[in-house]
Every structure is written in C-alpha cells, then in structure tokens.
Amino acid sequence: MSTENEAVLPLFTWFHQHPEVGHTEFATTQKIKETLKGMELEPQPLGTLPTGTFALIKGSHPGKTLLLRSDIDALPVAEKAEVSYPSLNPGKMHACGHDIHMTTVLTAARLLTERREQLHGTVFLAFQPAEEVAGGAVELLDQGVTKGCTEFVGLHSEPLLPVGTLGITAGCVMASTDTFRITLTGAGTHAAAPHLGNNPIPVLFGLGRELMLFAGQKVSPVHNYVLSITHVEAGEAWNVIPDTAMLEGTIRCEYPEDRKTLKKALYRLVDSYAEAHQVSADIYWHDGAPAVLNDEEMVQPAAELARKEGFQVKALEMAMTGDDFSHYKEYAKRYQVSDPELQPQTKPLALYVKVGTGLGAPLHNSHFKADPAAIGPAARFLADFITERLRGR
C-alpha cells in the first residue's frame, strides 16, 4: 500500500469497524466532526437532524458553491468478509462501501483545505445520514442548508471495477426507485367453507401475475425498467381464510415519463382487478429517488482529468439500483424557482463517479469487501476536479 493510503487507513478502519444504520449514526457523526476540526474546519448541525453534518471550505477567491456529498450509514447485515478489521457492531456492516465514501471525501477535504489560496468559491461538504433507509437526502435538503449550491459531486464504491478504474458515464447512471404496497380485503371464513367468504389470496396471486406482465405493455421495449414483487403476506393459520392479503415491491425506471406512466397504470390495473374479483384494494405508493443523471458538462472534463491522473475510465451501463444523491440537483432547481436571487439561469449540474474498489462480492452482500487502496487516488482526483470546476474550467 502506498504512503498516501497508509495515512488514511486508520480512519477507514475506524469507519469500517463502527457501522451504524440510518438515523443512528451518532458515533460516526462524532468521528467526522472530530476529523473536520482537525483540518480547522467547523462542522455544522444539519438543522433538526440528530446525525450527519456539513462544513464549508471557503476559497480565497469569489466563485460558485460546489457540493461534495458522502453518505454515512451502514446496513443491517452481518459481516462475513475476511478482513483484519471486522465490524465491531454485530449485525451491521458497511456492505455498500460508505466507509470508503466517508474516508475518500474527508481525504479530499484535507487536500482542498491545503489549497484554499487557489480555490475560487466554496466547497460544501455534505455528510448525509440515512441513504440506505430512503429519505436521508430529502431530510437533509429540507433543512435548506444547501441553497446556493449549483454543482454536485457524489461517488460510490464499485465492486465491478478494479482499483485504479473510475466509472464516469454521461446520462442515466442509476434508476429511479419507487415502492408500492397493495392490500386486498375480502372476507375471512373457515377454510372448509370458502363459499361463505371471499378469499383474497387467490386474487392476490392473480394480481401478482398481472403486475409482472403489464409493465412491458406500457413502456417502450428499448427503455430500461424493472418491476419486482418482493414481499407477500397473508393469513395466520392453515384452517382460516384471512380477510386480507398483501404484496409489495418496487418499480425502477430509466426515464421520468415511464415512471409516471407505470404508476398510473398500476393504480388502474389494481382497481379494475380488485373490482372484477369483488375485493377492495388499498394502494400505498412511495415516490423514491429520481434517476441519477450525469451532465455531459461535468462528465467530459472529469474523464479527461481521470485519464491524465492515470485512471482507467469506463462508461458503465446504467444500473437499476438507485441513490438519493439524485435529489440534490432536483432541489437546486426548486430553490432557483422560489428564490430569484439564486440566478435561475444557472443550470444545476451533477457528477456521480463510481470508484473501482476491487473485484469481488456485490454491494449489499455480507461478503462485500472494498480495497482501501482506492481511497488516496480517488480523493486526489476529487480534489483536483473540484479545484478545476471552481476555477471555471
């Protein structure tokens, strides 16, 4: 391991060994604050949120404000990866690489503080809680602290890429992530006398089959989308027909228009199917994160810089997984509409980089293991890219 990475390994190891799930990242937040203070940066509270923090690196020259984000929460997964620094919190691990994210962003922050005299504008360091439980980005953004930010940079560990490779892709990088839950209510009765009730379970089976088929008839066959049913629940006893049956799942889309189309179509299908089978239907829908979109204005200079610094650069196929990083640019657009002082003619831009952390087990897997050798080079790239963006290049 290089000297560059040896310097950050203790910090990475600490984060890896102390994973905390969304909304409980108290020790993690404290560690981040201590590290920021060691750089003579002043961590700020995220409004009413109990975890997470932000800090500002103000350059010596005037300019725009660019936000660099790291998610900080872990997953409720018991670690099985063979590492010399295993999780010390049973049943929890950084199975999505947020330990890499935090260490990389903090290392980039250290580099940026050392070049304040060169910086034009401000770097907003956002350490966001609760990305994995859906809602962390919105909760942070609702505090209003990011107003004035016009460019946004995020990163993610990528086990499909070796160390020394960056995934930098224009356009859609990750899908939108919506969830649904459908509860059908019939009439319960004795299992031996189904004619005295209305069993919702067969209706649920049929509806599930229809749902798996209908999406392909509503969107273009060349558009990426996924509909998955992930949870089915009904009944409590073998000899009792229950009143209700439930299924839930997720819809992922590449295109915003498909997202709207499938939501409307799902409601129509469920209502008509339930009516035809004489059961009532209750639909819960959660609008999750929009698709993660990279702007060409950010992608081209990022790829050029990455190659200059010795990285292999790959344009990856879009993933049907999601990330609430997409909310940052969406909120910037809303701020500009509601606040004329924020120069609505300035188009918010975003770049989401996938950092190769070694080929291995996939994300969200108990055997996932990220190679910390990726941290130093990725941090240097981020610091250099941000420096150039603030300079207006």
Side-chain angles (χ1 to χ4, degrees):
M1 181 175 292
S2 68
T3 303
E4 182 180 49
N5 276 295
E6 286 177 356
V8 301
L9 187 58
L11 184 60
F12 165 75
T13 299
W14 192 95
F15 286 133
H16 185 92
Q17 291 188 306
H18 299 84
E20 298 170 299
V21 297
H23 297 124
T24 69
E25 313 97 326
F26 296 103
T28 302
T29 298
Q30 185 58 34
K31 185 68 172 179
I32 292 169
K33 289 180 176 180
E34 291 172 359
T35 306
L36 291 170
K37 288 178 179 178
M39 305 176 201
E40 299 184 354
L41 296 175
E42 187 59 41
Q44 303 292 325
L46 285 174
T48 60
L49 299 186
T51 58
T53 187
F54 76 92
L56 302 176
I57 304 174
K58 296 183 179 180
S60 298
H61 309 280
K64 59 192 172 189
T65 300
L66 182 151
L67 184 147
L68 174 60
R69 173 265 209 167
S70 172
D71 30 20
I72 70 173
D73 56 327
L75 286 161
V77 175
E79 184 171 26
K80 296 179 182 178
E82 295 182 3
V83 294
S84 59
Y85 40 83
S87 169
L88 300 178
N89 294 342
K92 302 179 183 69
M93 71 172 289
H94 277 293
C96 211
H98 294 185
D99 47 357
I100 286 278
H101 303 177
M102 289 182 282
T103 312
T104 302
V105 169
L106 285 167
T107 304
R110 186 178 298 280
L111 295 171
L112 288 165
T113 59
E114 293 171 354
R115 56 177 79 163
R116 276 194 182 100
E117 295 300 318
Q118 306 172 40
L119 292 182
H120 295 247
T122 301
V123 182
F124 186 113
L125 303 169
F127 295 92
Q128 178 206 308
E131 188 273 332
E132 296 293 354
V133 296
V138 171
E139 291 168 350
L140 183 155
L141 289 159
D142 280 345
Q143 307 303 311
V145 295
T146 67
K147 286 184 179 180
C149 296
T150 58
E151 296 191 2
F152 305 88
V153 176
L155 73 157
H156 206 291
S157 174
E158 181 50 78
L160 296 176
L161 297 175
V163 172
T165 303
L166 296 181
I168 303 176
T169 310
C172 187
V173 181
M174 302 175 90
S176 58
T177 57
D178 299 322
T179 58
F180 60 87
R181 181 172 63 247
I182 301 165
T183 302
L184 300 181
T185 301
T189 184
H190 196 293
H195 61 292
L196 299 179
N198 186 11
N199 192 344
I201 295 177
V203 183
L204 191 79
F205 289 163
L207 177 60
R209 183 176 59 251
E210 293 295 323
L211 285 172
M212 296 301 294
L213 295 173
F214 95 110
Q217 305 302 312
K218 303 299 179 183
V219 301
S220 168
V222 297
H223 288 189
N224 291 308
Y225 72 90
V226 166
L227 187 153
S228 292
I229 296 172
T230 56
H231 180 200
V232 177
E233 191 173 312
E236 297 179 352
W238 65 273
N239 58 352
V240 178
I241 289 175
D243 289 321
T244 63
M246 179 277 295
L247 65 79
E248 60 183 350
T250 181
I251 293 179
R252 311 293 178 100
C253 293
E254 176 182 7
Y255 293 95
E257 59 269 26
D258 292 343
R259 188 183 186 193
K260 295 176 183 178
T261 296
L262 289 179
K263 179 179 180 180
K264 291 179 181 178
L266 181 141
Y267 271 79
R268 288 196 299 267
L269 171 63
V270 172
D271 288 341
S272 62
Y273 199 87
E275 182 179 3
H277 292 82
Q278 299 180 316
V279 299
S280 63
D282 178 71
I283 305 171
Y284 166 80
W285 180 279
H286 173 70
D287 288 315
V292 178
L293 303 174
N294 274 347
D295 293 290
E296 181 64 39
E297 298 96 320
M298 299 276 273
V299 167
Q300 183 177 355
E304 290 176 358
L305 177 64
R307 293 187 181 97
K308 182 179 177 181
E309 296 194 352
F311 286 98
Q312 293 292 317
V313 176
K314 284 199 172 184
L316 299 176
E317 292 183 0
M318 72 159 292
M320 300 311 292
T321 50
D323 193 311
D324 64 9
F325 174 75
S326 55
H327 281 297
Y328 286 83
K329 187 167 69 171
E330 293 300 312
Y331 266 62
K333 294 176 183 176
R334 296 180 208 173
Y335 292 147
Q336 290 181 339
V337 171
S338 61
D339 190 343
E341 293 184 2
L342 294 179
Q343 298 179 342
Q345 70 272 18
T346 302
K347 174 187 173 183
L349 301 173
L351 175 72
Y352 187 85
V353 179
K354 296 193 175 182
V355 179
T357 51
L359 304 177
L363 300 168
H364 290 218
N365 184 287
S366 60
H367 292 279
F368 172 77
K369 179 171 61 175
D371 189 342
I375 296 171
R380 186 179 66 253
F381 162 76
L382 288 174
D384 292 345
F385 178 72
I386 290 169
T387 301
E388 294 299 306
R389 288 302 302 176
L390 293 178
R391 195 175 290 157
R393 297 182 181 177

